[in-house]
Structure formats: C-alpha cells, structure tokens
C-alpha cells in the first residue's frame, strides 16, 4: 500500500481524490463523510489545544466545518479557510447561526495563502490536511506569519487506517520543517491522530 502512495510536498496539486479537494459531483458526499468520520478527531484536537475566550483562531482546511462549530463555542473569533468553494459553502451552512452572529467566518484560502493579517491568530489548527498541502515550506512560512508571538500551531493527521498514516520519513520531514521555523516542535500520538505542534 505504502509504495502506491504519491510523494508528499512535491508541489503537485491534489489529484481527483474528493477528500483532498472536494469538488464536482462527489464533493458534497465527501464533505458529509468527513463530517461524520473526523468528528472525534476534531474534538480530540480541540481538547488538546485548550481554546479559551481570549483566543482568535484560524482553521486551515476546515472541510465541512465541524471543528469551526466547536471552536465558535469557545474562542473569541474563528476564521476558516479552505480551497474548496463547496466546503466553504457547506461550513457556512453548518454554522449558519454563528456566521450570522459574526462568530465564524469561512472563505476560500489555503495553507499557503490564508489571506489572514500578520500576527493575527493565537491558534492555527488544521486536521487531516497537512499531507495534502502541495508545498510544506511555503505553508509553514505562511502559518508562522499569521501566528502571534506565543501562538500555537497544531496539525493533526490520521493515525488510522495504517494506509493513511504518515511514514516515518514523512513525520521526520514535518518535524524538521516545523523546527526550522519555530525553533522546536513536539509530536504526540493521541487516540485518533498524530498531533504535530509548535509555538511561535
Ligand atoms: C480530508 S479533508 C479534512 C477536512 C476537515 N479538516 C476535517 O477534519 O474533516 C481535507 C481538506 O483540506 C482541504 N485542502 C486541500 N488542500 C489544501 C491546502 N493546500 N490548504 C488548506 N486546505 C487544503 C480540502 O479542501 C479539504 O476540505
């Protein structure tokens, strides 16, 4: 299985995989499956990050918007970006009341180009997207830029099924790239996802 996988962070756009970039006829179905399948992992990441009412949060690759809703109940402000217009629409619908109240914003953007101002986030969080980013270094530069000093970057990626997990060399490459920008990084294998984090 591992040998069939594409190499990560080579600059190549995600292929036709509807979970990597939901679009077309399969996009909405992929969004619904992600909303169900990733909910516990999203909740686990939220618990790990310890979000509070003083925090401005940016979620990168929010997909159907489940974590945006969880964040909205705790944070001061929540902004989501996702390159899939379908997912932006789905996330806005899922969180319609919070969007109307101005507590959640969702717009098209990516890890490499969030459109967020410099030093505007206390937490940047992303679940099950890091292996889909075309360019790891460009994305980490961007996320470092938008974090406030002391702010936390938290990236969670599947721990199961085994065919989805990061290979040891991919984990090491991610940890090294984080350490280059942030000075240090830490990795914790939680119940549902591997959590890579670094503080600006
Ligand atoms: C597997 S889904 C995960 C969605 C959501 N975070 C969750 O936990 O259910 C991957 C998401 O990453 C988004 N994505 C793809 N490329 C991206 C990039 N370069 N930057 C940010 N998000 C990206 C996709 O559009 C998709 O919504």
């Amino acid at each position: 299985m591992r040998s069939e996988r594409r190499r990560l962070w080579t600059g190549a756009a995600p292929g036709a995989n509807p979970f990597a970039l939901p679009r077309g006829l399969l996009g909405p179905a992929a969004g619904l499956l992600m909303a169900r399948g990733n909910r516990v992992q999203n909740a686990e990441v939220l618990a790990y990050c310890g979000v509070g009412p003083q925090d401005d949060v940016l979620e990168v690759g929010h997909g159907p918007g489940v974590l945006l809703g969880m964040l909205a109940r705790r944070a001061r402000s929540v902004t989501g970006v996702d390159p899939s217009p379908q997912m932006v629409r789905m996330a806005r619908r899922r969180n319609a009341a919070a969007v109307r109240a101005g507590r959640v914003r969702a717009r098209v953007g990516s890890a490499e180009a969030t459109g967020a101002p410099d030093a505007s986030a206390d937490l940047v969080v992303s679940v099950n997207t890091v292996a889909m980013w075309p360019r790891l270094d460009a994305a980490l530069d961007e996320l470092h830029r938008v974090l406030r000093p002391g702010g936390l970057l938290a990236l969670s990626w599947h721990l199961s099924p085994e065919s989805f997990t990061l290979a040891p060399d991919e984990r090491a490459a991610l940890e090294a790239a984080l350490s280059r920008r942030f000075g240090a990084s830490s990795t914790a294998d939680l119940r549902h996802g591997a959590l890579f984090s670094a503080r600006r």
Side-chain angles (χ1 to χ4, degrees), residues 14 18-22 34-35 38-39 41-42 59-67 81-84 87 109-112 126-129 132-134 157-158:
F19 298 99
L21 189 60
M34 291 190 286
N38 294 335
R39 178 172 289 277
Q41 188 180 346
N42 280 311
E59 186 186 358
V60 172
H62 54 67
V66 171
L67 181 54
V81 295
D82 196 293
S84 161
M87 290 301 100
S110 68
E112 302 79 18
S126 196
V127 179
N128 294 340
T129 78
M132 292 156 186
W133 301 347
W157 184 259
H158 300 278

Side-chain angles (χ1 to χ4, degrees), residues 7-82:
R7 286 183 52 233
L8 303 185
W9 309 310
T10 59
N17 178 348
F19 298 99
L21 189 60
R23 63 193 146 166
L25 289 176
L26 293 178
L32 291 174
L33 287 171
M34 291 190 286
R36 288 181 61 175
N38 294 335
R39 178 172 289 277
V40 287
Q41 188 180 346
N42 280 311
E44 170 182 89
V45 173
L46 180 71
Y48 182 92
C49 292
V51 180
Q54 71 288 354
D55 291 327
D56 297 312
V57 181
L58 175 68
E59 186 186 358
V60 172
H62 54 67
V66 171
L67 181 54
L68 288 179
M70 296 176 183
L71 289 163
R73 291 193 279 280
R74 291 166 176 79
R76 176 166 58 192
S77 77
V78 182
T79 301
V81 295
D82 196 293

